[in-house]
Amino acid sequence: MIKTWTYNGVTYQSEWQVRQDIFNRDRVSFGEAPDEGKVAFWAQYGVTYSERELTPEEQEAQNLAIAKRERAAKVAAIKVEVDGMTFDGDESAQSRMARAITAAETAGLESTVWVLADNTVATVTKAQLQQALSKAMLAMAELWTKPYAEGAKA
């Protein structure tokens, strides 16, 4: 359902924003709109209110956006375990792991200090970081195409 409010020649898709503009212009505030009779309710404040169903294209775009938000939340929550240590596995953690691995290889180091998912500090080996990175990337890859899979519709 798409709701729009038109006030003073401006169309809004946010009830909050139209209320703010009514208050800023007319210094009027008011209670909640009733479930029935919204058109008449808004008209008393000089607002044209309308509702319409989403087109199939809009619904598809909305479903995809929802699926992408859900995916982002799941990616942000990735945790992986290596040798009893739990590593954050979100995208920024993967980037940090990749940089640490590259730096260790460049400097000839076999271990580094790392902050684990529970915020404890541990000395981890390059091999452990490589394994954590691999696991995190595989977990993310499993999630990444789900918004585009058939049946991902809300």
Side-chain angles (χ1 to χ4, degrees):
M1 178 79 57
I2 294 182
K3 300 176 182 181
T4 58
W5 297 260
T6 303
Y7 174 68
N8 248 11
V10 178
T11 299
Y12 302 86
Q13 293 199 350
S14 161
E15 180 176 344
W16 179 85
Q17 187 62 59
V18 75
R19 284 175 176 271
Q20 290 298 307
D21 286 355
I22 291 169
F23 180 79
N24 290 339
R25 180 185 160 104
D26 301 332
R27 296 289 185 232
V28 173
S29 62
F30 45 91
E32 294 295 315
D35 289 335
E36 300 294 325
K38 287 183 182 182
V39 171
F41 173 83
W42 285 104
Q44 68 185 330
Y45 301 106
V47 177
T48 302
Y49 174 78
S50 66
E51 295 179 358
R52 69 173 176 81
E53 294 298 323
L54 297 171
T55 66
E57 294 81 14
E58 289 169 331
Q59 185 65 57
E60 186 175 332
Q62 185 178 62
N63 291 346
L64 181 59
I66 290 167
K68 284 182 173 183
R69 283 193 304 273
E70 290 170 354
R71 175 188 68 193
K74 289 176 183 175
V75 167
I78 292 174
K79 306 271 189 258
V80 295
E81 189 172 319
V82 174
D83 296 336
M85 294 180 286
T86 303
F87 293 78
D88 287 315
D90 58 71
E91 287 182 277
S92 60
Q94 290 177 40
S95 179
R96 286 192 305 273
M97 284 186 243
R99 290 192 312 271
I101 292 164
T102 300
E105 289 170 349
T106 301
L109 301 173
E110 286 304 314
S111 65
T112 188
V113 175
W114 198 260
V115 178
L116 299 173
D118 66 358
N119 293 321
T120 60
V121 178
T123 299
V124 300
T125 66
K126 181 174 69 172
Q128 288 169 323
L129 273 181
Q130 288 169 325
Q131 191 176 359
L133 176 58
S134 178
K135 286 182 172 185
M137 289 178 71
L138 290 171
M140 189 171 84
E142 186 177 313
L143 296 169
W144 206 253
T145 59
K146 288 192 178 188
Y148 306 99
E150 197 61 41
K153 305 205 187 297

